[in-house]
Amino acid sequence: MMNRRVFIYQTSGLILSAWLLPSFKPFYADKMDRIGMGTVLFRYRFKQTKPAEIAAIKNELTLLDVPAYYRDRFKVKQLEFWSNHFESLDKSYLTDLKSKIKASGGQLLNVQIDSSYNLAAADEAERLKSIEHVKQWMDAVSFLGSKCVRINPGSASGSVDKSIESMKLVNQYAKSKNLILLSENHFGIEMNPDVHLRIVKEAGPGNYTLPDFGNYPRATMYDSLEKILPHAYMISAKADAFNDQMEHISYDFDRCVQMAEKAGFKGIYSVEQWNNKYLDIDFEKVADWLVDHVKRNI
C-alpha cells in the first residue's frame, strides 16, 4: 500500500491541514508575469474615489481605461479591480469591461469587494442580506472572468461563529462560479491573524488568505504576516508613505516580499499604495517603484 505523507501546519494553537495551501506552484518565465496592479493605486484619478484635496482630476481613469493603460505604461497584464471603481453591475457595462480586458491581452486576477455588508453580523437579517449582496457581486466578478474574489469576513465587532457560517456559504457559491475566495487582513474581524486562519480553515477547502503588507499595526506586522503568508493565494504588495526622494518610509517593503518568498509563495503580487492622508506624489513613479522592488526580491 502506498505510504501517504500528511503535512500539518501549526500556529498559535491552530492546526491547519495542507489543503489550505495552494495546490499548485505555477512556473512563470518572466518575473512580470508574477506582478499585478490594483486600481486602488490610482484612486485619485477615479471620480468615485477622488480626494477632496483635488479640485479637478487630471488624466481621469475609468475601469474601461485600465487594462490598456496598465499594459502600455507598466507592462502589467495581471489586473485587480476595486469595487468602488465600478460604474455599474449592469450586463451592458460588464460586457464592455470584459471586452476591454480581452482586447488588452490581460487577465482579471481579483476584485476587492468593499461595498456595504457584514458577514459577521449578529443580526440574522443583516447577515443574510449581506450574503445575498456578496453573491450579486460574485455573479459580476465571475462574468468578467476573474480568477479570484476578495470578500471581507465581517466587522471587527462581529461574531466569529457567524462569520464562519457566512464564509462557508460564500465559499460554496464562489466554487459554483469558478472563483477562488480570498480574505485579506482588512481592518475587520480577521485582523487577529489567529482568528483569520480559523475562519479560512473552517470555511472549507479552496479559500485562501490575501496578505496585505500595510494593514497590520507596525509593532506586530511581521509576526502577523508570518502567520498568514503560508496560506496565501495572492499577495497585496502595498506601500504606504514616501519621502521627497521617493524612498518608502513606513516599513521595510523588501523584507515583506522576502518573507513571502521564504514562506514558499509562488503566486502573484498585486502592487498598490494606501495612506489615510492625502499625498501629493506622482503615483506612476510609485507604481514603478513597487514593480521594481517586487522584481528585485523574487
Side-chain angles (χ1 to χ4, degrees), residues 29 66 77 151 201 292:
V66 164
K77 294 184 179 180
I151 303 296
K201 177 189 176 184
D292 177 63

Side-chain angles (χ1 to χ4, degrees), residues 117-120 127 131 134 138 149-154 159-175 181-184 189-190 196 198-209:
Y117 61 96
N118 181 11
L119 296 180
R127 189 180 73 87
I131 292 171
V134 165
M138 287 196 291
V149 61
R150 191 270 276 152
I151 303 296
N152 297 316
S159 162
V160 176
D161 289 338
K162 290 295 184 182
S163 175
I164 292 168
E165 189 176 343
S166 299
M167 289 291 280
K168 285 180 179 178
L169 295 174
V170 170
N171 191 29
Q172 291 169 5
Y173 196 75
K175 289 178 184 298
L181 178 63
L182 308 179
S183 54
E184 179 183 356
I189 199 169
E190 76 296 331
H196 192 178
R198 180 188 165 195
I199 292 170
V200 170
K201 177 189 176 184
E202 296 189 25
N207 76 107
Y208 303 93
T209 63

Side-chain angles (χ1 to χ4, degrees), residues 17-79:
S17 56
W19 61 257
L20 275 175
L21 300 176
S23 58
F24 63 95
K25 295 185 182 298
F27 173 74
Y28 295 101
D30 187 338
K31 288 185 177 183
M32 285 302 297
D33 292 335
R34 291 190 65 194
I35 299 175
M37 191 173 291
T39 57
V40 167
L41 178 55
F42 290 99
R43 63 196 176 279
Y44 288 11
R45 290 172 59 181
F46 285 82
K47 64 183 180 182
Q48 302 97 319
T49 54
K50 176 188 75 67
E53 289 84 356
I54 296 178
I57 299 175
K58 295 180 181 178
N59 301 316
E60 182 177 340
L61 280 176
T62 71
L63 283 187
L64 296 171
D65 303 321
V66 164
Y69 172 55
Y70 281 15
R71 177 199 62 196
D72 296 342
R73 172 59 180 82
F74 305 105
K75 310 305 178 188
V76 168
K77 294 184 179 180
Q78 303 282 0
L79 309 171

Side-chain angles (χ1 to χ4, degrees), residues 12 39 43 69 110 125 146 148 169 173 182 187 195 220 230 237 261:
S12 300
T39 57
R43 63 196 176 279
Y69 172 55
N110 184 44
S146 180
C148 306
L169 295 174
Y173 196 75
L182 308 179
F187 309 109
V195 170
T220 59
E261 293 292 298

Side-chain angles (χ1 to χ4, degrees), residues 38 52 60 78 83 92-93 111 149 165-166 173 212 218 228 287:
E60 182 177 340
Q78 303 282 0
S83 61
S92 59
Y93 171 75
V111 178
V149 61
E165 189 176 343
S166 299
Y173 196 75
D212 187 306
R218 299 293 181 257
I228 69 171

